[in-house]
Amino acid sequence: MGTLVEIRDVSKVYERGKQKVEVLHHINLDIAQGDFLALMGPSGSGKTTLLNLIGGLDSPSGGSIGVAGQRIDRMGGGDLAKWRASNVGFVFQFYNLMPMLSAQKNVELPLLLTKLNAAQRKRNAAIALKLVGLEDRAAHKPNELSGGQQQRVAIARAIVSDPTLLVCDEPTGDLDRQSAEEILTLLQRLNREHGKTIVMVTHDPKAAEYASHTLHLDKGTLVEQAALA
Amino acid sequence: MKYFHLIWAALFRSKTRTILTLLSVIAAFLLFGMLDAVRTSFDQAGQSANGARRLQTGSKLSFIQTLPQSLDAQIARVPGVKSVAYANWFGGAYQDPHNQVFSFAVSDNYLDQYPEIEVSAEARKAFAETRTGILVGETLAKRFHWKIGDKIPLQSTIFPQRDGSKSWNFDIVGFMHAKDKSAGWYDQLVLMHWKYFDEGTPYNRGTVGWYVTSVSDVNQADRVARAIDALSANSDHETRTQTEQAATANWMKQMADIGLIVGSIMGAVFFTLLLLTGNTMMQAVRERTSELAVLKTIGFSSRAVMALVLAESVLLLVLGGAIGLALASVLIPIVSAGSGGMLNLPSVGAGSWALGLTLMVAIGLLVGAPPAWRAMRLNIVDALAGR
Ligand SMILES: Nc1ncnc2c1ncn2[C@@H]1O[C@H](COP(=O)(O)OP(=O)(O)OP(=O)(O)O)[C@@H](O)[C@H]1O
Ligand SMILES: [Mg+2]
């Protein structure tokens, strides 16, 4: 398999008032197409920062990031938004669903940005909900669903426009063990059966076991380790 | 509008707050609808086509000052004059001095000047034949339960009879009905014979309160008015002649500048509304920071997010405003009917709706601009991290 994400000499500097803080130092990383990568590391080590760069939510202060041959570090806000819409799905720790919309409508959200008509949007969202096993909860609002179910809706939303890359920031961080395992199994299936490339930040070594390999960040530097056997 | 459900959902995310805000928008536009009707009714007063071709001639000094009756023949000879009638103020009261009844003593051809006043053929005939006959506006007749054939006394507050009595006896011979809203106040009026009045009191002695002249060509009205005033130039009874329209407008201006009053009230109301809805929208967007960040994450452009917030704010105003104006159009006929004809408010017309909608959209955009700007500038990474 080829390389999907190419990170070259990437650094990220945040300015806090007059003080500049470099939170990522000259990161080099290749993520292969079809990989399921776990990112671990202590709090404040820069995991979210790196993930946001990979997902095109933020731009690096130095270095280059290529995804599927496109230099996303050079894109402006508008182009980056379009690029995200068709290439990346996001899953967050706190699900971040729209509280007023049903599960179905939440999943349809990304499709509003496509040319699909209402019927097609409905159909595709239904397929995504079925894939995460929530077809019978389509009409429920987020507050009528458990945490695990909400996270599955969020995953359906992330995959509904069929992106190649899934970016997950502590997707099980707020879930009990059993729900977490369901979510991780689901991600594993999306990786194995549907070929999604997944980058997942986690604090939990058990969660990392579902990934095909794990990388450690420490104080903004990558500490590569052998894939856990 | 595939985004409508998103905007709607966002608007009612905090139901109680949105409904309270909506109520204040409804109240503001209800008030706007009512006040605009008042303003329109004042604007329309005297604005009929008939009003443009009628001239009113009164004393230049004051409207209490009378004019000589000899002017009648002189005015009739002015080129462009079709016909001229005259009238004087009788100032009657019925039973109780507080029951003021607008009453004029008028020349025989007076009604010919007012084609918009409907009087039946029998009533006209009876009026012509009865020296003590009066024509009564139908609203007024209803108020006092007067019927044709009733004999009624009216007390004149200005003109006692020759024997010193202030009470005059009249016979009701017919009713008047205004076909046209602009002449609606004739429904409240009493007309009596000039002869009965002038000969009955020692104090009038052939003087006239005002002349009403019809011109043959409406475009010549101003020229004819100047010619009429020229008749009395440099005399002891100089006149001032205006079209009925202009006279009504001037009269109203003296009463009150309704436009200014309505404008000031609505200015204050809308200013308050601006602060109120502005605060609601700002709060609503602040609470939704992470949701807006998610929209951006998913790929909504900054401009799209800004447009969503603006649309939400405009929707809030248009929704409340439309309900308010609709309520006003329901209430106005009720208020008009309840006033027993004293108030003759027009229903909320296309003009009021257009002005109202413009205001709703404008206020919506104004109020939505700061939160929309904030939403547009929202940094995804910071918002997601709760910074
Ligand atoms: N927008 C920002 N402005 C200033 N400092 C920032 C910003 N974003 C992140 N940081 C800082 O960069 C460092 C790395 O943050 P990041 O969120 O990537 O850590 P993390 O590894 O995801 O931590 P956690 O496990 O707690 O989520 C932290 O010290 C954080 O305070
Ligand atoms: Mg983090």
Side-chain angles (χ1 to χ4, degrees):
Chain A
M1 284 250 171
T3 308
L4 181 67
V5 183
E6 269 188 39
I7 297 174
R8 291 286 172 273
D9 201 27
V10 158
S11 53
K12 180 69 187 175
V13 178
Y14 283 119
E15 285 174 41
R16 276 198 202 118
K18 280 183 184 157
Q19 214 181 343
K20 288 186 177 178
V21 187
E22 190 171 274
V23 293
L24 291 177
H25 318 289
H26 306 282
I27 303 274
N28 283 290
L29 172 63
D30 281 356
I31 302 172
Q33 180 98 41
D35 201 354
F36 186 170
L37 173 68
L39 261 182
M40 295 190 73
S43 188
S45 56
K47 304 182 295 294
T48 297
T49 304
L50 181 57
L51 200 68
N52 287 342
L53 291 177
I54 295 171
L57 291 178
D58 206 355
S59 295
S61 312
S64 71
I65 303 176
V67 179
Q70 276 181 292
R71 283 285 297 271
I72 62 168
D73 58 290
R74 287 185 176 172
M75 289 184 185
D79 289 336
L80 213 48
K82 270 189 213 136
W83 176 82
R84 286 197 301 273
S86 44
N87 293 284
V88 199
F90 294 87
V91 180
F92 304 102
Q93 178 176 0
F94 298 110
Y95 334 127
N96 281 336
L97 300 173
M98 300 281 158
M100 291 294 292
L101 301 182
S102 67
Q104 167 84 26
K105 289 288 178 198
N106 263 290
V107 177
E108 277 184 37
L109 267 183
L111 299 179
L112 290 175
L113 299 170
T114 65
K115 290 200 174 81
L116 299 182
N117 65 32
Q120 291 166 321
R121 292 200 297 270
K122 207 169 169 191
R123 215 190 95 238
N124 287 11
I127 293 173
L129 273 175
K130 196 171 156 74
L131 199 66
V132 300
L134 280 180
E135 63 269 40
D136 55 338
R137 297 297 162 95
H140 289 231
K141 297 257 174 73
N143 64 4
E144 298 160 353
L145 299 170
S146 72
Q149 288 170 330
Q150 288 188 56
Q151 193 61 299
R152 280 193 275 161
V153 174
I155 291 172
R157 181 180 67 187
I159 59 172
V160 73
S161 47
D162 200 23
T164 35
L165 184 60
L166 277 189
V167 156
C168 315
D169 198 349
E170 302 187 38
T172 59
D174 203 42
L175 297 176
D176 59 60
R177 170 78 23 219
Q178 200 200 325
S179 303
E181 275 169 13
E182 283 168 16
I183 293 296
L184 290 162
T185 311
L186 177 60
L187 288 176
Q188 206 170 47
R189 244 181 66 216
L190 289 171
N191 172 247
R192 291 185 183 162
E193 294 169 25
H194 300 272
K196 303 289 174 209
T197 305
I198 300 178
V199 185
M200 174 177 76
V201 166
T202 183
H203 277 292
D204 177 8
K206 280 224 165 66
E209 283 173 18
Y210 286 79
S212 34
H213 63 280
T214 303
L215 288 177
H216 287 262
L217 256 182
D218 194 16
K219 292 182 192 130
T221 312
L222 270 180
V223 193
E224 200 160 355
Q225 299 198 335
L228 295 168
Chain B
M1 256 323 267
K2 61 178 170 180
Y3 297 107
F4 186 79
H5 74 280
L6 258 188
I7 300 163
W8 187 266
L11 186 57
F12 287 97
R13 188 180 185 277
S14 172
K15 266 210 186 74
T16 319
R17 186 179 57 211
T18 299
I19 288 172
L20 285 178
T21 311
L22 211 51
L23 281 178
S24 58
V25 179
I26 291 172
F29 277 91
L30 172 62
L31 190 63
F32 164 80
M34 306 286 280
L35 286 181
D36 206 49
V38 171
R39 188 183 59 78
T40 315
S41 86
F42 269 66
D43 280 355
Q44 280 171 355
Q47 290 253 319
S48 66
N50 291 315
R53 53 171 68 243
R54 269 195 300 263
L55 299 178
Q56 287 195 353
T57 304
S59 166
K60 194 176 181 179
L61 295 173
S62 116
F63 70 93
I64 310 169
Q65 206 78 32
T66 52
L67 301 169
Q69 208 174 332
S70 56
L71 261 181
D72 185 42
Q74 288 178 273
I75 291 174
R77 282 196 300 273
V78 169
V81 168
K82 201 167 133 204
S83 64
V84 54
Y86 51 88
N88 205 355
W89 183 249
F90 178 73
Y94 179 60
Q95 287 173 337
D96 180 314
H98 295 296
N99 279 337
Q100 282 288 332
V101 172
F102 291 109
S103 37
F104 298 167
V106 298
S107 62
D108 290 340
N109 63 344
Y110 182 81
L111 272 178
D112 301 345
Q113 314 287 8
Y114 293 90
E116 65 267 50
I117 315 264
E118 213 168 52
V119 178
S120 71
E122 306 93 79
R124 270 176 203 271
K125 189 161 172 285
F127 186 55
E129 289 168 355
T130 318
R131 186 178 156 85
T132 54
I134 49 172
L135 292 172
V136 178
E138 57 179 13
T139 309
L140 185 69
K142 250 181 230 144
R143 187 172 144 209
F144 293 122
H145 308 289
W146 287 340
K147 297 181 302 296
I148 290 174
D150 282 1
K151 284 184 186 303
I152 58 153
L154 288 179
Q155 283 79 47
S156 177
T157 47
I158 316 170
F159 298 105
Q161 301 209 56
R162 290 196 183 280
D163 60 9
S165 154
K166 285 190 173 176
S167 184
W168 297 63
N169 290 314
F170 296 101
D171 292 292
I172 298 176
V173 295
F175 296 139
M176 293 183 286
H177 164 75
K179 278 186 281 189
D180 171 340
K181 266 203 174 156
S182 69
W185 82 299
Y186 272 81
D187 289 347
Q188 318 255 4
L189 204 63
V190 164
L191 297 185
M192 67 186 69
H193 282 291
W194 181 264
K195 270 224 162 78
Y196 180 45
F197 161 74
D198 190 36
E199 289 167 7
T201 178
Y203 296 101
N204 192 54
R205 283 175 299 175
T207 60
V208 159
W210 64 93
Y211 288 93
V212 181
T213 307
S214 297
V215 296
S216 356
D217 178 0
V218 67
N219 298 314
Q220 297 288 315
D222 286 337
R223 187 191 56 74
V224 174
R226 283 195 299 274
I228 290 174
D229 287 341
L231 295 174
S232 324
N234 302 318
S235 72
D236 61 350
H237 56 266
E238 289 198 318
T239 58
R240 176 176 162 82
T241 304
Q242 295 173 286
T243 62
E244 192 173 285
Q245 263 177 13
T248 312
N250 277 345
W251 170 247
M252 297 268 184
K253 270 242 172 66
Q254 280 172 16
M255 297 278 290
D257 191 339
I258 281 295
L260 185 70
I261 293 172
V262 169
S264 329
I265 297 177
M266 285 326 294
V269 168
F270 283 138
F271 181 71
T272 313
L273 191 67
L274 219 59
L275 297 183
L276 206 99
T277 48
N279 185 48
T280 300
M281 279 305 298
M282 203 61 190
Q283 223 175 318
V285 163
R286 221 175 257 141
E287 274 169 20
R288 283 211 310 277
T289 301
S290 71
E291 286 166 47
L292 293 169
V294 169
L295 285 181
K296 286 189 169 187
T297 302
I298 285 172
F300 282 70
S301 66
S302 292
R303 241 185 284 161
V305 172
M306 178 185 81
L308 284 176
V309 174
L310 273 183
E312 181 182 334
S313 158
V314 170
L315 179 65
L316 174 71
L317 266 296
V318 170
L319 194 68
I323 295 175
L325 268 186
L327 270 180
S329 42
V330 172
L331 278 180
I332 284 170
I334 297 175
V335 169
S336 287
S339 75
M342 290 300 286
L343 272 173
N344 226 330
L345 297 179
S347 58
V348 181
S352 296
W353 273 102
L355 178 60
L357 276 171
T358 311
L359 279 168
M360 293 170 210
V361 173
I363 296 175
L365 290 176
L366 206 61
V367 155
W373 178 253
R374 183 190 159 98
M376 189 186 89
R377 297 286 303 270
L378 188 75
N379 178 289
I380 302 176
V381 173
D382 286 345
L384 285 177
R387 266 188 287 266

